[in-house]
Amino acid sequence: MSDVLRGCLGFKGEKGETGAVGTPKVYKGGFEELQFDAGVDRDFHYIILNSKDSLNGHWVYYDEEKDVWLAGGLYQAQGIANGSVTFEMLCEELKEVLRPLMGGREDG
C-alpha cells in the first residue's frame, strides 16, 4: 500500500498528485496575496502565515488543471477530526485498495 500512498501524496523531494516538490515553503502573507503574487513558484506547497482569514496555518497548492490555488487543510494538525475525511476525498488508487475491504460500499 505504500506505493499507493506515494502516488497520492508524494514524498519529500518527489512530486505527488498535486505536482508539488519537497517540503512546503512559508508564505508570509494571506491567501489572497498568494493568488496574485507573480514571484511565487507554483511547483511548491506553501504554508499561509499572517492571514486574516481562516486559512492562517493552512497549506495551499496550485492546481494546474483548474488554474487556481487550493487549500489543503491545516498544516501538521494534531489529528483528523472524526468524520472529516470521506471516501470521495481519497485518491483513486487508495479507493481501489479499500473498496474490496469495504464490501464494495463507499459509505464506510
Side-chain angles (χ1 to χ4, degrees):
M1 180 151 16
S2 63
D3 289 337
V4 171
L5 292 175
R6 179 182 295 267
C8 294
L9 305 174
F11 286 82
K12 186 174 179 178
E14 298 179 3
K15 289 189 175 190
E17 285 185 357
T18 63
V21 178
T23 303
K25 295 183 175 202
V26 171
Y27 187 78
K28 295 182 180 180
F31 184 66
E32 286 288 323
E33 297 168 21
L34 175 74
Q35 294 179 71
F36 300 105
D37 189 338
V40 171
D41 186 343
R42 294 177 175 180
D43 287 334
F44 289 90
H45 289 144
Y46 289 88
I47 308 300
I48 300 294
L49 295 181
N50 302 325
S51 181
K52 293 180 177 90
D53 57 29
S54 62
L55 293 177
N56 198 42
H58 287 234
W59 66 277
V60 295
Y61 65 96
Y62 185 75
D63 185 317
E64 290 181 22
E65 289 181 21
K66 296 178 182 176
D67 190 30
V68 66
W69 284 94
L70 298 173
L74 186 61
Y75 182 67
Q76 293 189 343
Q78 295 298 311
I80 300 173
N82 288 340
S84 65
V85 178
T86 65
F87 190 81
E88 293 79 27
M89 296 168 85
L90 303 175
C91 69
E92 289 304 316
E93 293 87 354
L94 190 53
K95 288 179 188 179
E96 291 303 314
V97 170
L98 295 176
R99 206 170 265 124
L101 300 174
M102 298 169 60
R105 295 186 353 262
E106 296 184 4
D107 59 2

Short mmCIF file of all heavy atoms in Angstrom, two decimals, residues 23-29 34 37 40 44-50 56-60 75:
data_model
loop_
_atom_site.label_atom_id
_atom_site.label_comp_id
_atom_site.label_asym_id
_atom_site.label_seq_id
_atom_site.Cartn_x
_atom_site.Cartn_y
_atom_site.Cartn_z
N THR A 23 9.46 19.84 0.74
CA THR A 23 8.87 20.41 1.94
C THR A 23 8.16 21.72 1.61
O THR A 23 8.66 22.51 0.82
CB THR A 23 9.99 20.68 2.97
OG1 THR A 23 10.68 19.46 3.21
CG2 THR A 23 9.44 21.22 4.26
N PRO A 24 6.99 21.98 2.22
CA PRO A 24 6.29 23.24 1.95
C PRO A 24 7.13 24.45 2.33
O PRO A 24 7.94 24.41 3.25
CB PRO A 24 5.06 23.16 2.86
CG PRO A 24 4.89 21.73 3.16
CD PRO A 24 6.26 21.13 3.14
N LYS A 25 6.92 25.54 1.60
CA LYS A 25 7.58 26.80 1.89
C LYS A 25 6.59 27.69 2.64
O LYS A 25 5.38 27.52 2.52
CB LYS A 25 7.99 27.50 0.59
CG LYS A 25 9.04 26.74 -0.18
CD LYS A 25 9.45 27.52 -1.40
CE LYS A 25 10.59 26.81 -2.09
NZ LYS A 25 11.35 27.70 -2.94
N VAL A 26 7.13 28.63 3.40
CA VAL A 26 6.29 29.57 4.15
C VAL A 26 5.97 30.75 3.25
O VAL A 26 6.84 31.30 2.59
CB VAL A 26 7.00 30.03 5.43
CG1 VAL A 26 6.24 31.15 6.11
CG2 VAL A 26 7.19 28.86 6.38
N TYR A 27 4.70 31.15 3.24
CA TYR A 27 4.29 32.37 2.54
C TYR A 27 3.82 33.35 3.61
O TYR A 27 2.83 33.10 4.29
CB TYR A 27 3.17 32.10 1.54
CG TYR A 27 2.87 33.31 0.69
CD1 TYR A 27 3.70 33.64 -0.37
CD2 TYR A 27 1.81 34.14 0.98
CE1 TYR A 27 3.46 34.76 -1.13
CE2 TYR A 27 1.56 35.26 0.23
CZ TYR A 27 2.39 35.58 -0.83
OH TYR A 27 2.16 36.69 -1.58
N LYS A 28 4.56 34.45 3.77
CA LYS A 28 4.29 35.40 4.85
C LYS A 28 3.26 36.43 4.43
O LYS A 28 3.49 37.63 4.48
CB LYS A 28 5.57 36.06 5.30
CG LYS A 28 6.53 35.07 5.94
CD LYS A 28 7.78 35.74 6.42
CE LYS A 28 8.69 34.70 7.04
NZ LYS A 28 9.92 35.26 7.53
N GLY A 29 2.13 35.94 4.02
CA GLY A 29 1.03 36.80 3.63
C GLY A 29 -0.23 35.98 3.61
O GLY A 29 -0.25 34.82 4.00
N LEU A 34 -1.24 35.58 -2.15
CA LEU A 34 -0.55 34.48 -2.83
C LEU A 34 -1.09 34.27 -4.24
O LEU A 34 -0.32 34.06 -5.18
CB LEU A 34 -0.69 33.19 -2.02
CG LEU A 34 -0.12 31.94 -2.66
CD1 LEU A 34 1.40 31.96 -2.61
CD2 LEU A 34 -0.65 30.69 -2.00
N ASP A 37 0.49 36.83 -6.57
CA ASP A 37 1.92 37.06 -6.45
C ASP A 37 2.65 36.37 -7.60
O ASP A 37 2.79 35.16 -7.63
CB ASP A 37 2.42 36.53 -5.11
CG ASP A 37 3.85 36.92 -4.81
OD1 ASP A 37 4.61 37.23 -5.75
OD2 ASP A 37 4.21 36.91 -3.61
N VAL A 40 5.75 33.81 -7.02
CA VAL A 40 5.58 32.53 -6.32
C VAL A 40 5.79 31.38 -7.30
O VAL A 40 5.24 31.36 -8.39
CB VAL A 40 4.17 32.45 -5.69
CG1 VAL A 40 3.90 31.06 -5.15
CG2 VAL A 40 4.03 33.47 -4.59
N PHE A 44 5.62 24.39 -5.72
CA PHE A 44 5.77 24.11 -4.30
C PHE A 44 4.44 24.30 -3.56
O PHE A 44 3.59 25.07 -3.98
CB PHE A 44 6.81 25.03 -3.66
CG PHE A 44 8.21 24.71 -4.07
CD1 PHE A 44 8.77 25.31 -5.19
CD2 PHE A 44 8.96 23.78 -3.36
CE1 PHE A 44 10.06 25.00 -5.58
CE2 PHE A 44 10.25 23.47 -3.75
CZ PHE A 44 10.81 24.08 -4.86
N HIS A 45 4.30 23.57 -2.45
CA HIS A 45 3.22 23.85 -1.50
C HIS A 45 3.68 25.02 -0.65
O HIS A 45 4.88 25.20 -0.43
CB HIS A 45 2.99 22.66 -0.57
CG HIS A 45 2.36 21.50 -1.23
ND1 HIS A 45 2.70 20.20 -0.90
CD2 HIS A 45 1.43 21.39 -2.20
CE1 HIS A 45 2.00 19.37 -1.63
NE2 HIS A 45 1.22 20.07 -2.43
N TYR A 46 2.74 25.79 -0.14
CA TYR A 46 3.05 26.91 0.73
C TYR A 46 2.19 26.84 1.99
O TYR A 46 1.04 26.42 1.94
CB TYR A 46 2.79 28.25 0.02
CG TYR A 46 3.80 28.53 -1.06
CD1 TYR A 46 3.60 28.06 -2.35
CD2 TYR A 46 4.97 29.23 -0.78
CE1 TYR A 46 4.54 28.29 -3.35
CE2 TYR A 46 5.90 29.47 -1.77
CZ TYR A 46 5.68 28.99 -3.05
OH TYR A 46 6.62 29.22 -4.02
N ILE A 47 2.77 27.29 3.10
CA ILE A 47 2.05 27.43 4.36
C ILE A 47 1.70 28.91 4.48
O ILE A 47 2.58 29.77 4.42
CB ILE A 47 2.90 27.01 5.58
CG1 ILE A 47 3.50 25.63 5.39
CG2 ILE A 47 2.09 27.13 6.86
CD1 ILE A 47 2.51 24.53 5.20
N ILE A 48 0.43 29.21 4.64
CA ILE A 48 -0.03 30.59 4.73
C ILE A 48 0.17 31.09 6.16
O ILE A 48 -0.32 30.50 7.12
CB ILE A 48 -1.52 30.70 4.36
CG1 ILE A 48 -1.77 30.23 2.93
CG2 ILE A 48 -2.03 32.12 4.56
CD1 ILE A 48 -1.16 31.08 1.86
N LEU A 49 0.91 32.19 6.31
CA LEU A 49 1.11 32.83 7.61
C LEU A 49 0.63 34.28 7.52
O LEU A 49 0.63 34.87 6.44
CB LEU A 49 2.57 32.80 8.02
CG LEU A 49 3.16 31.42 8.28
CD1 LEU A 49 4.62 31.55 8.69
CD2 LEU A 49 2.40 30.68 9.35
N ASN A 50 0.27 34.83 8.62
CA ASN A 50 -0.17 36.23 8.71
C ASN A 50 -1.45 36.50 7.93
O ASN A 50 -1.69 37.63 7.51
CB ASN A 50 0.94 37.19 8.24
CG ASN A 50 2.21 37.01 9.03
OD1 ASN A 50 2.17 36.73 10.22
ND2 ASN A 50 3.34 37.14 8.37
N ASN A 56 -5.04 30.85 7.83
CA ASN A 56 -3.78 31.03 8.51
C ASN A 56 -3.31 29.69 9.08
O ASN A 56 -4.05 29.01 9.79
CB ASN A 56 -3.93 32.05 9.64
CG ASN A 56 -2.59 32.59 10.09
OD1 ASN A 56 -1.74 32.88 9.27
ND2 ASN A 56 -2.42 32.72 11.39
N GLY A 57 -2.11 29.26 8.71
CA GLY A 57 -1.57 27.98 9.17
C GLY A 57 -1.93 26.82 8.27
O GLY A 57 -1.55 25.69 8.52
N HIS A 58 -2.65 27.07 7.20
CA HIS A 58 -3.03 26.03 6.26
C HIS A 58 -2.03 25.95 5.12
O HIS A 58 -1.37 26.93 4.79
CB HIS A 58 -4.42 26.31 5.67
CG HIS A 58 -5.52 26.08 6.65
ND1 HIS A 58 -6.58 25.25 6.38
CD2 HIS A 58 -5.73 26.55 7.89
CE1 HIS A 58 -7.40 25.23 7.42
NE2 HIS A 58 -6.90 26.03 8.34
N TRP A 59 -1.89 24.78 4.52
CA TRP A 59 -1.04 24.64 3.34
C TRP A 59 -1.91 24.77 2.10
O TRP A 59 -3.09 24.45 2.11
CB TRP A 59 -0.26 23.33 3.35
CG TRP A 59 -1.08 22.07 3.24
CD1 TRP A 59 -1.73 21.43 4.25
CD2 TRP A 59 -1.32 21.31 2.07
NE1 TRP A 59 -2.36 20.31 3.77
CE2 TRP A 59 -2.12 20.20 2.42
CE3 TRP A 59 -0.94 21.44 0.73
CZ2 TRP A 59 -2.55 19.26 1.51
CZ3 TRP A 59 -1.35 20.48 -0.18
CH2 TRP A 59 -2.16 19.41 0.22
N VAL A 60 -1.32 25.32 1.05
CA VAL A 60 -2.03 25.52 -0.21
C VAL A 60 -1.17 24.99 -1.35
O VAL A 60 0.05 24.88 -1.23
CB VAL A 60 -2.40 27.00 -0.45
CG1 VAL A 60 -3.38 27.50 0.58
CG2 VAL A 60 -1.17 27.87 -0.49
N TYR A 75 -1.88 22.68 8.26
CA TYR A 75 -0.59 22.00 8.12
C TYR A 75 -0.17 21.37 9.44
O TYR A 75 -0.17 22.02 10.47
CB TYR A 75 0.47 22.99 7.65
CG TYR A 75 1.82 22.35 7.43
CD1 TYR A 75 1.99 21.43 6.41
CD2 TYR A 75 2.89 22.65 8.24
CE1 TYR A 75 3.21 20.82 6.19
CE2 TYR A 75 4.13 22.06 8.03
CZ TYR A 75 4.28 21.15 7.01
OH TYR A 75 5.50 20.55 6.79
#
